[in-house]
Amino acid sequence: MSRRIGKSLAVNGATLVTEAAWNAELDAKHDRLVEWMKGQGLAGVLIRRNENVAWVTGGAVESRVLTPGETGVASLLVTAAGKRYYFTTENEAPRLHDEEFGALDFEPVLFPWWADDTGGAAAKLSGGPPGSDTPGAGFTLVNLAPLRAALSESEIARYRWLGAETAAATVEALHEVEPGLSEYDMEAITEAGLLRRGILPSVALYAVDERIFKYKHAVPRGKRLKQYGMLNLCSRKWGLAISITRFIHFDALPEELAARFNSAAQVNAALLNATRAGATSAKLFKVAQAAYAAQGFPGEERFHHQGGPTGYGEREWIATPQGTEVVVNNQAFAWNPSIRGGKVEDTVILRDGVIENLTSTPELPVLSDAIVNGSTYAAAGVLVK
């Protein structure tokens, strides 16, 4: 096995992934990508999308500068002959070498910032028909998402850290929330906690009171909290994405709302129990549909998507009535069933038939009575103050 990276991954002085484990991950991905290219009749694949750059480099490279951008300041080329290159401009090259690619065995190809010819150079270096994960003349458009689906042990180690730290930041923020704060205040408090940990916020859905009941995707608009607040967010690091939602209510939680949370937890449990290797997107949609009906809310699934697998995308796909995508082992999921103001959302991993919750918050109230086929699936309840 050839060396792909020359360092371990350490966070706050503790080794999260050893150099050997990181090398093994990168070698396995390289071999999988080369085998896939040969099956597609491609001589090389140009990788420009941020999620794919992160995946191929095992999270070692963050090329993102424009936060919402699909691409960053560097692109990769992997050839069927086993060559590996990164393309960037001369002004970006020093930092990318020192902080991103320096420990990796990618060969740099540099251009002046006014004369970037990544496409032309990649086509030439491929030595045959090239593919790309973004549209481009002369390139076959490819989808690398299926290659990213099953996570390696070292990816799971990074994911556990990210899930735990995101959950901790969310709990900290929830305890700082008080009546009179605006939705923007809630967003700022939560995202500050993430940024202090070196974690990038990627989805911000913060809402209060009637907006939680009225809108399924309530982006912050400045309303001030009276009684009921929602922190619904996604975070990113090493290319991996975490989803979590938590709630706070001041004064007694209305019985009807509490019942809706319990029902949402039952739908979530049904989905988690059905999240097994080989299950299709369509089957999982039907599970959610039936679970809502069993809870006395038939048709509730029509008001919002129910979630699906995550990993290098906040959702790699979502469960739909005719969806043909298939669950694989070692895949991450974020289901988000909701019922008129009550919602459950965590990020989990399916590992050999067992669901592992990456964002559990046992210090908050837990809805623990969701049982399906003899298995209990705990979900977070509402923090009542």
Side-chain angles (χ1 to χ4, degrees):
M1 178 170 59
S2 58
R3 193 188 75 175
R4 301 292 179 192
I5 195 165
K7 63 180 181 180
S8 299
L9 176 62
V11 181
N12 298 326
T15 298
L16 193 60
V17 178
T18 66
E19 181 177 340
W22 218 353
N23 284 331
E25 174 192 341
L26 295 173
D27 276 327
K29 288 177 176 177
H30 176 85
D31 293 344
R32 193 185 320 162
L33 187 56
V34 167
E35 182 180 359
W36 174 85
M37 274 189 280
K38 291 177 178 178
Q40 299 293 313
L42 297 173
V45 61
L46 177 62
I47 299 169
R48 311 193 81 159
R49 294 184 63 91
N50 290 319
E51 65 269 27
N52 291 328
V53 170
W55 173 72
V56 169
T57 63
V61 171
E62 175 56 88
S63 65
R64 188 189 307 267
V65 171
L66 175 64
T67 299
E70 293 183 347
T71 61
V73 295
S75 303
L76 311 180
L77 175 70
V78 179
T79 74
K83 298 287 187 179
R84 296 149 61 89
Y85 304 90
Y86 72 92
F87 304 89
T88 192
T89 56
E90 291 169 347
N91 58 302
E92 297 286 354
R95 189 194 70 80
L96 288 177
H97 174 271
D98 293 347
E99 299 181 342
E100 310 293 341
F101 288 99
L104 291 161
D105 64 350
F106 283 77
E107 181 180 340
V109 180
L110 308 181
F111 310 98
W113 63 261
W114 66 87
D116 189 330
D117 187 31
T118 293
K124 182 177 180 180
L125 288 169
S126 292
S132 176
D133 62 356
T134 59
F139 288 85
T140 298
L141 185 62
V142 300
N143 176 19
L144 301 183
L147 299 180
R148 304 193 305 258
L151 300 170
S152 67
E153 290 300 313
S154 48
E155 284 173 302
I156 292 171
R158 297 194 292 274
Y159 225 160
R160 286 192 182 113
W161 184 93
L162 179 58
E165 290 296 320
T166 299
T170 304
V171 171
E172 288 174 8
L174 205 63
H175 282 293
E176 291 187 43
V177 171
E178 59 185 24
L181 293 182
S182 74
E183 293 165 340
Y184 297 139
D185 293 328
M186 291 161 56
E187 178 184 15
I189 290 168
T190 309
E191 298 195 358
L194 294 173
L195 292 169
R196 280 195 298 268
R197 291 168 164 84
I199 298 170
L200 179 69
S202 61
V203 172
L205 301 172
Y206 298 85
V208 300
D209 302 307
E210 73 280 355
R211 293 189 74 238
I212 300 173
F213 297 90
K214 191 174 182 181
Y215 305 116
K216 291 287 190 177
H217 258 180
V219 297
R221 286 295 180 261
K223 292 287 185 180
R224 293 197 174 275
L225 173 64
K226 296 175 183 176
Q227 278 194 311
Y228 187 33
M230 177 184 75
L231 279 59
N232 177 187
L233 59 134
C234 294
S235 66
R236 281 186 161 271
K237 192 174 181 67
W238 303 303
L240 297 167
I242 285 286
S243 299
I244 185 173
T245 303
R246 295 295 185 266
F247 295 84
I248 188 168
H249 196 282
F250 293 87
D251 297 327
L253 188 67
E255 290 185 7
E256 184 178 13
L257 183 56
R260 290 174 184 174
F261 268 95
N262 284 322
S263 291
Q266 293 290 340
V267 177
N268 186 61
L271 281 165
L272 291 175
N273 191 75
T275 302
R276 297 294 181 266
T280 65
S281 169
K283 176 185 176 181
L284 290 163
F285 178 87
K286 290 177 181 176
V287 166
Q289 188 177 48
Y292 279 118
Q295 290 300 308
F297 296 94
E300 192 75 18
E301 73 284 348
R302 297 175 61 89
F303 300 127
H304 194 274
H305 76 75
Q306 302 305 301
T310 181
Y312 288 89
E314 279 72 11
R315 296 295 186 276
E316 297 281 14
W317 47 263
I318 58 175
T320 60
Q322 287 81 41
T324 59
E325 300 91 346
V326 176
V327 175
V328 299
N329 193 32
N330 285 356
Q331 190 168 23
F333 285 82
W335 298 113
N336 47 256
S338 60
I339 300 176
R340 306 172 197 183
K343 179 181 179 181
V344 171
E345 183 176 25
D346 279 296
T347 303
V348 305
I349 290 182
L350 171 67
R351 305 192 72 203
D352 301 325
V354 176
I355 295 292
E356 176 184 342
N357 191 340
L358 300 180
T359 52
S360 62
T361 50
E363 58 270 68
L364 297 179
V366 176
L367 305 173
S368 58
D369 60 348
I371 301 174
V372 180
N373 295 332
S375 296
T376 301
Y377 299 93
V382 180
L383 176 61
V384 178
K385 284 192 172 183

